[in-house]
């Protein structure tokens, strides 16, 4: 009977203990749900902070490249000038050509000019609007004396060619530069200046490189070789040759005068008159 009473008491206490623990567990579950909901809602701004917004980059400015400077020679000058010219072109391709030299043809005064012309290549490329039809070249008369002589070109100048498809006439303008004070801006100013400030070379002139009389008749290059050979001869040789030729001409003239026709002996003598006081007079 005691066992049954104790058992009955335990059975009765079981539901009470469960009933006593049940509210605590409920509150605990609610508190955990509250914490989980709070941590879940708090994680949203953190995720938003980690979002990387793309920043629009500034467009990079295009780097201006200086214009290329071609070197003209006796073998390539004509092909170089006509290379960018299209067959149906109506707008001329412009070539700004520097005529320079060294100690022989420019007496060492073209070093500054060479430097400033190279510096002007970037400034000419930066002009607005950009002159896409402008090309640069240089001709060194120390290295190409025959070509300079065939053009009758002197150093320290710039030539401006206006190239159109052959057989159209080629415009040619010449401008002299001060080799001691020239700057790269002077070259740019010369290019943008009106063509009236340049010296125009007529297309029918003798030494026009393309349309001149000597060029059209194939005489420009032979004349260039001739003048080059003439300039290559030392001055003392020239003086010796001139002296020899002049002496030969004088000797022939003297010999011709001495060997002329003579009259009979005594024919040229004047008759002698009688002595003063002679009765025969």
């Amino acid at each position: 009977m005691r066992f049954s009473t104790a058992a009955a008491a335990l059975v009765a206490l079981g539901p009470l203990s469960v009933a006593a623990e049940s509210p605590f567990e409920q509150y605990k579950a609610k508190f955990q749900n509250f914490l989980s909901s709070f941590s879940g809602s708090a994680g949203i701004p953190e995720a938003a902070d980690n979002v990387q917004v793309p920043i629009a980059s500034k467009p990079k400015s295009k780097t201006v490249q200086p214009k290329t400077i071609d070197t003209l020679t006796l073998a390539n000058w004509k092909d170089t000038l006509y290379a960018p010219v299209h067959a149906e072109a109506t707008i001329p391709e412009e070539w700004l050509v520097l005529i320079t030299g060294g100690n022989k043809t420019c007496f060492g005064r073209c070093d500054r000019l060479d430097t400033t012309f190279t510096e002007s290549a970037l400034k000419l490329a930066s002009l607005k609007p950009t002159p896409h039809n402008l090309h640069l070249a240089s001709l060194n008369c120390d290295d190409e004396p025959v070509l300079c002589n065939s053009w009758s070109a002197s150093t320290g100048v710039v030539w401006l060619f206006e190239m159109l498809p052959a057989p159209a006439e080629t415009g040619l303008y010449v401008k002299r530069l001060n080799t001691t004070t020239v700057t790269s801006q002077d070259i740019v100013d010369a290019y943008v200046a009106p063509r009236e400030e340049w010296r125009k070379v007529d297309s029918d002139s003798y030494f026009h490189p393309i349309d001149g009389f000597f060029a059209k008749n194939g005489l420009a290059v032979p004349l260039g070789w001739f003048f080059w050979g003439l300039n290559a001869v030392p001055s003392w040789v020239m003086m010796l040759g001139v002296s020899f030729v002049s002496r030969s001409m004088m000797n022939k003239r003297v010999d011709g005068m001495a060997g002329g026709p003579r009259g009979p002996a005594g024919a040229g003598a004047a008759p002698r008159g009688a002595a003063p006081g002679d009765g025969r007079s």
Side-chain angles (χ1 to χ4, degrees):
M1 197 65 184
R2 289 179 181 177
F3 174 76
S4 59
T5 304
L10 290 173
V11 171
L13 289 174
L16 292 175
S17 62
V18 172
E21 293 177 359
S22 178
F24 177 76
E25 294 294 335
Q26 291 178 359
Y27 288 134
K28 181 179 179 180
K30 290 182 178 180
F31 183 74
Q32 290 177 349
N33 292 334
F34 174 76
L35 291 178
S36 61
S37 63
F38 179 79
S39 62
S41 61
I44 296 176
E46 181 180 359
D49 293 340
N50 294 331
V51 176
Q52 295 181 355
V53 179
I55 301 175
S57 59
K58 296 181 180 180
K60 295 182 179 180
S61 58
K62 186 177 180 181
T63 303
V64 179
Q65 297 295 330
K67 287 187 173 292
T68 304
I69 301 178
D70 294 299
T71 301
L72 301 184
T73 65
L74 183 62
N76 74 352
W77 72 269
K78 200 166 187 178
D79 294 335
T80 301
L81 295 184
Y82 273 108
V85 181
H86 299 287
E88 295 81 13
T90 57
I91 299 176
E93 296 289 332
E94 297 178 332
W95 279 92
L96 191 64
V97 180
L98 172 67
I99 310 297
T100 183
N103 293 329
K104 294 180 181 179
T105 55
C106 198
F107 307 104
R109 295 178 298 181
C110 287
D111 293 340
R112 180 186 178 92
L113 184 59
D114 295 337
T115 303
T116 55
F117 190 72
T118 303
E119 294 172 353
S120 69
L122 179 59
K123 292 184 177 182
L124 290 170
S126 304
L127 289 176
K128 300 298 182 182
T130 304
H132 296 290
N133 63 329
L134 173 63
H135 314 275
L136 303 181
S138 65
L139 171 59
N140 191 310
C141 291
D142 271 26
D143 301 332
E144 297 294 331
V146 176
L147 181 58
C148 287
N149 281 288
S150 66
W151 287 8
S152 187
S154 59
T155 59
V157 298
V158 285
W159 288 26
L160 182 61
F161 290 85
E162 294 180 344
M163 306 295 297
L164 286 171
E169 293 184 353
T170 300
L172 178 58
Y173 302 87
V174 179
K175 192 174 187 63
R176 178 163 292 280
L177 301 173
N178 190 328
T179 57
T180 58
T181 61
V182 64
T183 63
S184 57
Q185 189 60 42
D186 292 337
I187 297 176
V188 176
D189 294 341
Y191 169 71
V192 299
R195 296 296 177 260
E196 290 76 11
E197 298 183 11
W198 293 63
R199 179 175 65 85
K200 188 177 188 305
V201 179
D202 295 330
S203 57
D204 57 352
S205 62
Y206 285 103
F207 284 97
H208 191 289
I210 298 176
D211 302 322
F213 173 81
F214 292 137
K216 286 186 175 181
N217 291 279
L219 300 175
V221 174
L223 279 175
W225 281 106
F226 171 76
F227 288 124
W228 171 77
L230 201 62
N231 293 329
V233 176
S235 58
W236 64 268
V237 175
M238 291 292 296
M239 295 300 296
L240 185 62
V242 170
S243 177
F244 177 78
V245 172
S246 62
R247 284 177 178 275
S248 299
M249 294 177 63
M250 290 297 296
N251 290 337
K252 288 182 180 179
R253 184 176 181 183
V254 171
D255 291 342
M257 293 177 64
R262 295 181 180 181
R272 295 181 61 184
D278 191 351
R280 292 177 299 174
S281 59

